Amino acid sequence: MTRRLISTGSAFEEKASYSRAVVDGGFVFVSGTTGYDYATMQMPEDAGQQTENILNTIDMVLGKAGASLKDVVKATYIITDAAHAEALFEVIGRRFKDIRPTNTLFIAGLLRPEMKVEIEVIAKLPAAAEGAPTA
């Protein structure tokens, strides 16, 4: 299997020299993703809506790799304030209810003040998708 790079087309990916995701060795490694709605480039105020946007972006990227949220085996959550935890838990509790990946939660500052949540994941490719081309 060859290493594949996946992009959302965000200008920041090029500016900061990173890929939204890398497919390698049967896994998809998704970079930390914040809550922008990439269709409008708007950041919602609400931490829960940011989390929804993040998981939608991650699911889209995983789809380009031949996987989905159901294939996530590890998630790392970063929130800027412990007060955002309940909104995060509500969304991931619903979206990851039957998946239950391992996870770690940090409280830390993020690059921009409007960012309240950032999530990165690792997913295992389904065997049939390991050689699938990117979109």
Side-chain angles (χ1 to χ4, degrees):
M1 171 182 235
T2 20
R3 176 181 161 116
R4 292 186 288 139
L5 308 180
I6 298 175
S7 173
T8 60
S10 163
F12 190 70
E13 292 171 24
E14 185 175 339
K15 180 179 182 179
S17 297
Y18 77 100
S19 295
R20 175 64 50 200
V22 174
V23 181
D24 198 355
F27 288 91
V28 184
F29 302 88
V30 181
S31 292
T33 303
T34 58
Y36 284 102
D37 175 340
Y38 285 101
T40 64
M41 284 313 293
Q42 298 294 311
M43 175 71 76
E45 176 69 24
D46 178 68
Q49 187 57 55
Q50 287 188 25
T51 304
E52 290 283 1
N53 287 356
I54 292 166
L55 293 178
N56 290 341
T57 299
I58 289 172
D59 198 31
M60 180 269 300
V61 168
L62 289 172
K64 286 183 174 186
S68 72
L69 288 177
K70 69 180 170 61
D71 300 305
V72 172
V73 294
K74 169 74 172 119
T76 301
Y77 307 111
I78 303 165
I79 55 176
T80 57
D81 189 311
H84 303 316
E86 286 307 314
L88 172 80
F89 295 153
E90 189 279 321
V91 175
I92 63 173
R94 182 171 26 82
R95 303 279 300 263
F96 282 151
K97 180 180 180 181
D98 297 325
I99 302 160
R100 302 192 50 163
T102 64
N103 75 64
T104 303
L105 172 67
F106 294 100
I107 300 172
L110 294 174
L111 183 62
R112 302 198 190 291
E114 66 270 19
M115 297 173 175
K116 296 178 179 174
V117 180
E118 184 169 340
I119 300 173
E120 73 172 18
V121 302
I122 300 170
K124 174 98 170 79
L125 281 173
E130 289 184 22
T134 59

